[in-house]
Amino acid sequence: MDTSNEDEINKFLISYYKSFGLRYSLDSTWFKWFYNDNPSGKCVNYILTNENNEIIGAFGYSIFSYSFNEVEKKGVIGINGFINPDYTGLGLYTDLILETLKDIHRKYDLAFSFPHSDNLGSVKGHINSEWKFTNDFYFYVKNIKPKEIISIDENILESKFECLRNYKFSRRPESFFIKSFEWLNWRFYERPDKDYEVFIYKNSHNIIEGYVVYTLYQDKSGLKRFQIADYDYIKNEVFMKLLAKVSQLGSKYKCSTFEFLVNEEHFDTEILLKESYVKKEESYKMFVNGDLAKLNINRNFKFEFGYFDVV
């Protein structure tokens, strides 16, 4: 698919709506931002058409940067896969993913894909197309106590994305997702259809040692939720202070819950559980593919909700 062609974009969106329902915020402006403007590289989108040249399904991938054995590499994440309702049960989704994988394997050593646990058709399509299921990304949720008085460290400040331009992101020696200011700025500040805010922790030398990117949303039942889209910290005590600020803001905005999305194998889960966060049944299924998938390095990747929160 030509992701710059306005006519093809509109045809894709019409097909997307058939599978997921009409979403006014997901228009051509959103499409161009997500598929074309990622500083790590443009998305590639494979489409399936019927005899009338109508798009009836799609499976794409976005580009991300990561380090493996201290070498910077590019990998991919599967995105926005679907088959229209009239064409399900025919094996077409599996065929579409397999065709996309041919392209991925020619260029990349590592691919991730995260179908939602409720999307059984997509989960089945990944299994049938030789993706390896590794583990779940669960939502960790904590109920908010209204008007709770919480002591906040004076070094935690509400700020703008620009303050993260020179932030030194935490890294692990074996393998890790490489974040950058350019990626954060594109992903959250430049997004056309959704607003995000950021707060930071500065030490006594005025150096930023952690941050949280968050958004507020209202669920179908009308409850306001506080969702952590992205975060990073240098040491555990900084994370604890950031969590206290999360609690304060959630109470201030009269939200019902805080929500993290965390790799089940990542050590952050231990901290969240100690802070009375509860694991929900809802999750994203983590599938991997490519030569490096055989090494089971996925445990070192900490994808936050921001990597999924694109629709």
Side-chain angles (χ1 to χ4, degrees), residues 131-271:
W131 286 78
K132 177 188 176 184
F133 171 73
T134 56
N135 56 288
D136 289 282
F137 271 61
Y138 284 100
F139 282 93
Y140 282 76
V141 176
K142 183 178 180 179
N143 293 326
I144 295 175
K145 298 177 182 178
K147 299 180 181 179
E148 182 180 7
I149 299 176
I150 301 168
S151 177
I152 301 300
D153 192 298
E154 62 181 10
N155 292 324
I156 290 188
L157 308 167
E158 296 183 48
S159 191
K160 302 294 183 183
F161 280 91
E162 181 64 28
C163 74
L164 297 174
R165 181 174 293 277
N166 297 315
Y167 177 73
K168 296 187 182 301
F169 294 91
S170 60
R171 296 190 173 187
R172 302 187 68 181
E174 306 90 358
S175 60
F176 53 85
F177 180 87
I178 297 177
K179 293 183 184 180
S180 67
F181 168 76
E182 290 74 21
W183 186 90
L184 280 178
N185 195 60
W186 161 76
R187 181 63 192 80
F188 301 112
Y189 181 72
E190 295 180 355
R191 179 168 180 169
D193 64 309
K194 199 168 187 177
D195 294 324
Y196 298 87
E197 303 294 337
V198 62
F199 61 85
I200 61 175
Y201 175 84
K202 280 188 175 182
N203 65 18
S204 58
H205 301 289
N206 211 33
I207 296 173
I208 299 174
E209 292 189 335
Y211 69 86
V212 168
V213 176
Y214 69 92
T215 186
L216 307 176
Y217 81 102
Q218 198 168 50
D219 65 17
K220 294 179 181 178
S221 62
L223 295 175
K224 187 183 290 186
R225 300 185 181 277
F226 190 105
Q227 206 157 55
I228 291 80
D230 192 273
Y231 66 98
D232 191 60
Y233 60 90
I234 304 303
K235 47 191 176 183
N236 287 356
E237 51 263 42
V238 171
F239 189 35
M240 302 295 288
K241 293 175 181 179
L242 293 171
L243 288 176
K245 182 65 175 179
V246 167
S247 296
Q248 182 202 50
L249 289 174
S251 181
K252 172 185 174 180
Y253 294 126
K254 299 179 180 179
C255 297
S256 61
T257 60
F258 319 110
E259 297 180 356
F260 280 83
L261 186 69
V262 183
N263 183 342
E264 185 72 351
E265 297 191 13
H266 200 273
F267 50 78
D268 282 0
T269 58
E270 297 179 11
I271 298 175

Side-chain angles (χ1 to χ4, degrees), residues 101-140:
L101 278 175
K102 292 179 184 178
D103 183 36
I104 292 173
H105 288 158
R106 282 195 296 267
K107 304 174 184 176
Y108 306 99
D109 294 324
L110 185 63
F112 291 98
S113 193
F114 301 90
H116 194 277
S117 57
D118 290 341
N119 192 343
L120 300 181
S122 184
V123 172
K124 182 180 178 181
H126 282 76
I127 294 172
N128 291 342
S129 54
E130 301 174 359
W131 286 78
K132 177 188 176 184
F133 171 73
T134 56
N135 56 288
D136 289 282
F137 271 61
Y138 284 100
F139 282 93
Y140 282 76

